Amino acid sequence: MKIKTALLAATSIVVMSTANAAEEDLVKYRMKLMEIIGGHMGSIAAIVKSEVPYKTDLAYHAKGLAEAAPLIKPSFETKAMTDKSEALPKIWDNWEDFAKMADKLETASADLSAAITSGDRAAMGAALNATGKSCKGCHDEYMEDH
């Protein structure tokens, strides 16, 4: 009986350790994805504000943002939290709202990329504004204060 109890305890520890490692890996992945999105958005803002002279890179960053945005929703489908996570648990409590916000960013960033490619300044301004509002709205609602 003691062997059976010890084996059960050891198995539980291994399963819990594996689950914790999987959660940590998922949170790390999501954080890296959000760093990529933030990097593209920050680069776009710096270029638009003429803080840096890389206007020819604008389309690259807009395309990168538009390609990364659709990865948000799938990366949050599984609830995973660690001490390092900046995501709030209410993401999963309000999944439909969070998913709508992720969809809005996906649409806004695709519109931004298209507007930049077209060269239409009015469309660029509107799309950049929509993209920024989308990012901010989700961060205000679902991200820990940082």
Side-chain angles (χ1 to χ4, degrees):
M1 188 67 168
K2 287 182 182 180
I3 293 174
K4 191 174 183 180
T5 303
L7 185 58
L8 183 59
T11 302
S12 295
I13 291 169
V14 169
V15 169
M16 287 176 24
S17 295
T18 303
N20 289 341
E23 275 195 45
E24 285 182 24
D25 290 343
L26 180 53
V27 169
K28 285 179 190 176
Y29 172 81
R30 288 195 312 230
M31 292 175 79
K32 292 296 181 187
L33 174 61
M34 299 312 276
E35 285 177 22
I36 290 166
I37 290 169
H40 283 304
M41 194 63 184
S43 295
I44 290 167
I47 293 167
V48 169
K49 292 176 184 177
S50 298
E51 295 172 351
V52 296
Y54 305 116
K55 290 192 187 316
T56 58
D57 294 349
L58 194 56
Y60 165 81
H61 288 293
K63 183 179 178 189
L65 177 62
E67 289 178 350
L71 304 177
I72 294 171
K73 195 165 50 173
S75 74
F76 279 91
E77 284 179 341
T78 300
K79 183 176 182 178
M81 301 288 297
T82 68
D83 292 345
K84 293 181 181 183
S85 178
E86 295 176 338
L88 295 174
K90 67 181 184 175
I91 287 171
W92 298 279
D93 296 336
N94 302 317
W95 178 254
E96 287 184 27
D97 183 59
F98 178 83
K100 283 181 192 176
M101 288 186 163
D103 290 341
K104 284 182 183 180
L105 177 61
E106 186 175 339
T107 300
S109 62
D111 291 347
L112 177 59
S113 184
I116 288 171
T117 300
S118 77
D120 181 343
R121 288 189 162 277
M124 279 187 238
L128 183 57
N129 188 37
T131 302
K133 282 183 178 180
S134 180
C135 290
K136 183 179 180 342
C138 196
H139 282 202
D140 287 351
E141 190 67 27
Y142 295 109
M143 184 177 176
E144 192 175 278
D145 289 338
H146 53 281

